[in-house]
């Protein structure tokens, strides 16, 4: 016990009575700023989704990120129609294949798209439907007759065509 009191009196109390020494101020240098390297872009290149028409019913979708979620919408402002879809040949259950009345909106959310994925969309009665992928309007070719049953095919390719 005497040894602890001796250490406290000789070491700890003198430290408590000291005032901080402001003369020993540590100054950190400013960070080194390099000139912009012209070979390295400041912002990453933006990936822009693009839909390219191959023929009246076939389209290529490019400019997406791997495993990105894509939304395909069919709006029917003028008619009722049978609608359905398949992803890579497998029938989609949400939304269900079936009859959609006038003014109905068919929304297919395609999770995790990948290269060579094929989305097949059936429109049972083509008449002034508005088809879009992530807001990009897909024009219906004039060669497709009103009232015809038509399959549209969207093939995903990662790089722009």
């Amino acid at each position: 016990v005497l040894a602890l009191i001796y250490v406290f009196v000789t070491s700890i109390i003198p430290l408590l009575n000291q005032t901080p020494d402001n003369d020993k101020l540590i100054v950190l240098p400013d960070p080194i700023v390099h000139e912009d390297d012209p070979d390295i872009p400041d912002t990453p290149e933006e990936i822009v989704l693009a839909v390219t028409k191959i023929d009246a019913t076939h389209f290529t979708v490019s400019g997406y990120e791997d495993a990105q979620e894509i939304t395909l919408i069919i709006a029917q402002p003028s008619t009722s129609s049978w609608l359905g879809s398949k992803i890579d040949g497998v029938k989609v259950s949400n939304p269900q294949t079936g009859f959609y009345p006038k003014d109905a909106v068919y929304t297919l959310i395609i999770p995790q798209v990948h290269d060579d994925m094929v989305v097949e969309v059936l429109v049972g009665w083509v008449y002034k439907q508005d088809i879009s992928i992530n807001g990009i309007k897909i024009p219906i070719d004039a060669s497709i007759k009103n009232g015809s049953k038509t399959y549209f095919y969207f093939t995903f390719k990662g790089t722009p065509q």
Side-chain angles (χ1 to χ4, degrees):
V1 175
L2 289 175
L4 287 175
I5 294 173
Y6 174 76
V7 170
F8 183 75
V9 170
T10 59
S11 298
I12 305 294
I13 291 179
L15 287 175
L16 293 174
N17 290 331
Q18 284 183 346
T19 58
D21 190 7
N22 289 335
D23 294 338
K24 295 183 181 178
L25 195 63
I26 299 174
V27 177
L28 296 175
D30 291 334
I32 298 172
V33 178
H34 295 283
E35 295 284 328
D36 286 336
D37 188 349
D39 295 337
I40 301 173
D42 290 338
T43 57
E45 193 173 309
E46 185 177 334
I47 298 174
V48 178
L49 190 72
V51 180
T52 307
K53 181 178 175 181
I54 305 300
D55 61 31
T57 59
H58 292 80
F59 301 87
T60 299
V61 182
S62 60
Y64 56 87
E65 294 180 12
D66 199 33
Q68 178 180 343
E69 182 177 280
I70 301 287
T71 303
L72 183 140
I73 296 175
I74 302 174
Q76 304 194 120
S78 303
T79 189
S80 301
S81 182
W82 187 271
L83 300 172
S85 55
K86 294 180 182 178
I87 297 176
D88 287 334
V90 178
K91 193 177 203 179
V92 175
S93 61
N94 188 15
Q96 292 185 345
T97 298
F99 181 77
Y100 287 80
K102 178 182 172 189
D103 295 324
V105 176
Y106 181 88
T107 303
L108 173 63
I109 297 174
I110 308 161
Q112 301 184 350
V113 296
H114 56 82
D115 283 352
D116 299 321
M117 174 184 274
V118 177
V119 175
E120 176 183 337
V121 177
L122 163 66
V123 178
W125 182 267
V126 176
Y127 184 72
K128 297 184 181 179
Q129 280 87 356
D130 295 323
I131 303 174
S132 66
I133 294 181
N134 279 21
I136 299 171
K137 186 172 174 152
I138 310 300
I140 295 179
D141 195 273
S143 67
I144 298 175
K145 294 180 182 178
N146 286 337
S148 65
K149 174 182 174 182
T150 304
Y151 291 90
F152 294 95
Y153 299 90
F154 300 92
T155 303
F156 288 82
K157 299 285 184 187
T159 56
Q161 300 294 316

